[in-house]
Amino acid sequence: MTICSLVIQSKPESLNPVCEVLAGSAGVEIHARDDKGKLVVSIDHPERSYCSQVMTDITRIEGVVGTSLVFEYQEDLE
């Protein structure tokens, strides 16, 4: 199991479209957002490679200016 927390900065005018893309991604949850385009997001998935790919994909969403990994937790459930 892997849980990651990110802060994402988007252009303010792109906030809603960015949130729509994020909401459509499995394991992604938006916890907070502000009018300036800042989002607090978590990714929860059994495979770390999935979380890494989602983080990479987020940087490619139109309107995203930058991302910062704040926290990562990984546990082998076997």
Side-chain angles (χ1 to χ4, degrees):
M1 170 181 68
T2 301
I3 300 170
C4 299
S5 177
L6 308 165
V7 174
I8 301 169
Q9 182 65 54
S10 72
K11 297 177 183 176
E13 62 273 13
S14 299
L15 182 60
N16 288 330
V18 168
C19 287
E20 288 174 16
V21 173
L22 293 172
S25 300
V28 176
E29 185 174 346
I30 301 169
H31 298 280
R33 62 186 260 181
D34 68 17
D35 294 337
K36 296 177 183 175
K38 191 174 288 183
L39 300 150
V40 176
V41 174
S42 65
I43 307 168
D44 184 355
H45 196 270
E47 296 180 24
R48 187 180 187 287
S49 61
Y50 175 84
C51 294
S52 296
Q53 185 60 53
V54 170
M55 287 188 279
T56 299
D57 293 345
I58 288 171
T59 64
R60 297 180 179 143
I61 298 172
E62 187 173 341
V64 170
V65 177
T67 63
S68 296
L69 179 64
V70 176
F71 175 82
E72 180 180 10
Y73 173 81
Q74 184 176 4
E75 180 178 326
D76 187 6
L77 296 178
E78 295 178 13

